[in-house]
Amino acid sequence: MKKVDVIIVGASASGLMCAIEAAKRGRHVVVLDHANKAGKKILMSGGGRCNFTNYDVSSENYISHNNHFVKSALSRFTQWDFIAMVEAYKIPYHEREHGQLFCDDSSKDILNLLLNECKKNNVNIQLNTGINHIEKKSEHHFIIKSNKDDYHCQSLVIASGGLSIPKMGATPFGYKVAEQFNIKVWPTSAGLVPFTLHNQDKEILSDLSGIAINSIVNTNNKSFRENILFTHRGLSGPAILQISSYWTAGEAIEINLLPDINLLEELNSTSKKQPQIKLKTLLHRLLPKRLVNAFIKIELLDKTLQEISYKQLQFVASTFQSWTIKPNSTEGYRTAEVTLGGVDCDALSSKTFESKTVAGLYFVGEVMDISGWLGGYNFQWSWSSGWCAGQYV
Ligand SMILES: Cc1cc2nc3c(=O)[nH]c(=O)nc-3n(C[C@H](O)[C@H](O)[C@H](O)COP(=O)(O)OP(=O)(O)OC[C@H]3O[C@@H](n4cnc5c(N)ncnc54)[C@H](O)[C@@H]3O)c2cc1C
């Protein structure tokens, strides 16, 4: 049986950050991960360029049953602190819209930064290591049995992430540990995930695959303005991913496909100035042809504006500006970027991330009931929570 100060389960964003900080304090740290490679999600993130943080981070960008919990950690290890690490490693990066920061070259740069810091501070990373048994012997004394070595440790950090992308090694491990120690876990669901559609909608919309439109998407009093993307399975794109985290199954979403104009006014005024113009001519100027033709019957599209009643114009305007659609479901954890729900924040200290009831047990990163918006917020949470816990484990 090996004796170490800190065992961290999960060699990815939050776990590696916690390991680096704890090791800098002189703690003997071992990180265990069942995967054959550290940081797989970092590597696949941001389309291979890792959206590692955002210039504008606040508690508003996170979803949790305790909306205040993130504030402390986000203010102690900020986006500027992580940017400083990126700059110290001379990693080239750039800003995209909404303050999102991406690597110029590859997500590998971020993972290499973390692995290099681990190496510099003598963090021992054990891959291909599954955990078979966890036992609390006494205050600050745990026994961890793995498929390789067995350990005694003072602090046990669960950084095993959520359920998204099981193919990349996601498991419910962290929730099971919480349950073992009677720590509440909020029900989980897939977030930042595309919607699938009911068959009748799929039939109408399947021809639109590949069309992207800047739109405002609403549900549950939350709205996002970004692109939506029609796919052969349903609806995707950043605005859809964002709203999916606020969507409740069975509810409709409302989409304004022309957020910069008042379509009814436009139809009315054009009808006065150019009564002979056909409805389709006007609409095809504003929206992709395929989309217009899928949404409005050809008989109406072929009419001139003077032939169309005010009621019909209202119908056309609301079709594009208050398009209401009830998703069938989401694509689920297979493609979700995050997991909503998780280990209850109220059970943890927002300063140390230690359980309030089990001394020496910590939870960091996505395993917690904290989910960020699209835009680098999830990694920032991993950096901030991992860094804070690293000061205490
Ligand atoms: C496709 C995709 C793209 C994304 N892009 C971005 C982005 O650009 N920007 C952003 O901010 N966020 C992004 N995210 C979200 C981000 O990747 C996560 O929020 C973040 O990785 C969470 O870090 P974590 O360390 O808490 O957990 P994870 O990164 O999920 O790491 C958990 C680790 O625990 C290990 N583990 C799990 N179960 C066990 C077990 N039973 N035993 C041992 N080890 C175990 C896993 O192998 C893994 O290494 C993306 C997510 C996905 C899926």
Side-chain angles (χ1 to χ4, degrees), residues 79-364:
Q79 66 272 41
W80 308 110
D81 294 316
F82 194 75
I83 292 166
M85 287 175 77
V86 168
E87 289 183 349
Y89 270 78
K90 298 190 167 38
I91 296 172
Y93 69 92
H94 61 276
E95 181 185 358
R96 294 195 194 161
E97 56 183 1
H98 308 297
Q100 306 172 87
L101 300 187
F102 284 79
C103 296
D104 285 356
D105 299 330
S106 161
S107 305
K108 262 191 217 153
D109 289 346
I110 300 294
L111 181 59
N112 288 342
L113 177 166
L114 296 167
L115 293 177
N116 197 52
E117 286 293 308
C118 281
K119 200 168 166 195
K120 224 167 77 183
N121 291 288
N122 300 316
V123 172
N124 176 353
I125 300 173
Q126 293 293 322
L127 299 172
N128 299 305
T129 305
I131 288 85
N132 298 329
H133 182 74
I134 294 177
E135 192 184 327
K136 186 185 162 198
K137 286 303 267 181
S138 58
E139 294 275 286
H140 293 284
H141 182 186
F142 296 88
I143 289 179
I144 318 294
K145 293 189 173 162
S146 80
N147 60 353
K148 288 186 179 165
D149 295 313
D150 296 341
Y151 300 89
H152 287 284
C153 67
Q154 292 169 3
S155 297
L156 171 61
V157 183
I158 306 301
S160 53
L163 295 172
S164 45
I165 324 270
K167 247 185 13 202
M168 287 289 137
T171 70
F173 176 82
Y175 312 132
K176 287 191 178 154
V177 174
E179 277 157 12
Q180 178 185 342
F181 290 101
N182 292 317
I183 294 170
K184 180 173 169 177
V185 177
W186 287 97
T188 57
S189 60
L192 299 181
V193 63
F195 286 131
T196 57
L197 301 177
H198 290 286
N199 280 341
Q200 75 254 32
D201 290 323
K202 219 154 99 180
E203 260 169 48
I204 299 168
L205 302 175
S206 60
D207 284 349
L208 307 186
S209 182
I211 292 179
I213 300 184
N214 189 267
S215 309
I216 296 177
V217 185
N218 274 292
T219 196
N220 281 322
N221 295 322
K222 198 81 204 165
S223 70
F224 289 93
R225 180 174 178 167
E226 284 189 65
N227 275 356
I228 68 162
L229 174 70
F230 292 86
T231 71
H232 60 281
R233 283 194 293 267
L235 290 173
S236 187
I240 294 294
L241 300 187
Q242 298 279 36
I243 212 73
S244 72
S245 296
Y246 290 89
W247 178 71
T248 321
E251 281 182 3
I253 55 169
E254 193 189 76
I255 305 179
N256 181 351
L257 294 158
L258 286 165
D260 290 320
I261 61 165
N262 181 325
L263 183 57
L264 186 58
E265 271 177 31
E266 183 81 21
L267 290 165
N268 255 329
S269 67
T270 314
S271 153
K272 281 178 196 137
K273 283 182 266 171
Q274 300 167 277
Q276 306 290 354
I277 197 174
K278 282 189 174 172
L279 177 63
K280 68 178 177 194
T281 313
L282 173 63
L283 290 176
H284 290 166
R285 277 188 210 146
L286 300 170
L287 287 160
K289 236 182 195 173
R290 273 193 288 154
L291 180 116
V292 170
N293 297 352
F295 275 51
I296 306 283
K297 288 207 169 80
I298 188 70
E299 300 81 56
L300 186 57
L301 286 175
D302 272 337
K303 285 190 178 169
T304 61
L305 291 180
Q306 66 184 354
E307 292 172 316
I308 302 177
S309 70
Y310 185 71
K311 215 169 158 199
Q312 282 173 312
L313 291 185
Q314 278 179 319
F315 162 76
V316 171
S318 72
T319 298
F320 296 109
Q321 297 212 282
S322 323
W323 175 36
T324 304
I325 182 160
K326 237 185 215 179
N328 180 17
S329 185
T330 71
E331 287 187 7
Y333 295 117
R334 189 179 59 81
T335 59
E337 282 201 16
V338 286
T339 301
L340 300 162
V343 176
D344 186 19
C345 295
D346 290 343
L348 309 175
S349 155
S350 60
K351 187 175 172 201
T352 64
F353 289 80
E354 188 175 20
S355 155
K356 288 178 182 168
T357 48
V358 187
L361 178 63
Y362 299 75
F363 292 86
V364 292

Side-chain angles (χ1 to χ4, degrees), residues 15-25 114 117-118 121 123:
L16 295 177
M17 182 56 108
C18 182
I20 293 161
E21 288 304 309
K24 278 188 194 164
R25 291 169 42 234
L114 296 167
E117 286 293 308
C118 281
N121 291 288
V123 172

Side-chain angles (χ1 to χ4, degrees), residues 8-17 32-54 62 100-102 107 126-132 158-165 168-174 192 333-339 364-368 370-383 385:
I8 299 175
V9 181
S12 188
S14 59
L16 295 177
M17 182 56 108
L32 307 177
D33 201 302
H34 67 163
N36 58 359
K37 211 177 192 177
K40 283 191 179 181
K41 268 198 198 157
I42 299 175
L43 291 176
M44 74 188 301
S45 69
R49 290 215 161 83
C50 188
N51 178 193
F52 56 83
T53 191
N54 194 293
Y62 294 89
Q100 306 172 87
L101 300 187
F102 284 79
S107 305
Q126 293 293 322
L127 299 172
N128 299 305
T129 305
I131 288 85
N132 298 329
I158 306 301
S160 53
L163 295 172
S164 45
I165 324 270
M168 287 289 137
T171 70
F173 176 82
L192 299 181
Y333 295 117
R334 189 179 59 81
T335 59
E337 282 201 16
V338 286
T339 301
V364 292
E366 202 185 308
V367 72
M368 300 175 62
I370 307 274
S371 313
W373 288 6
L374 194 74
Y377 301 104
N378 285 295
F379 278 132
Q380 187 57 46
W381 178 245
S382 293
W383 316 136
S385 57

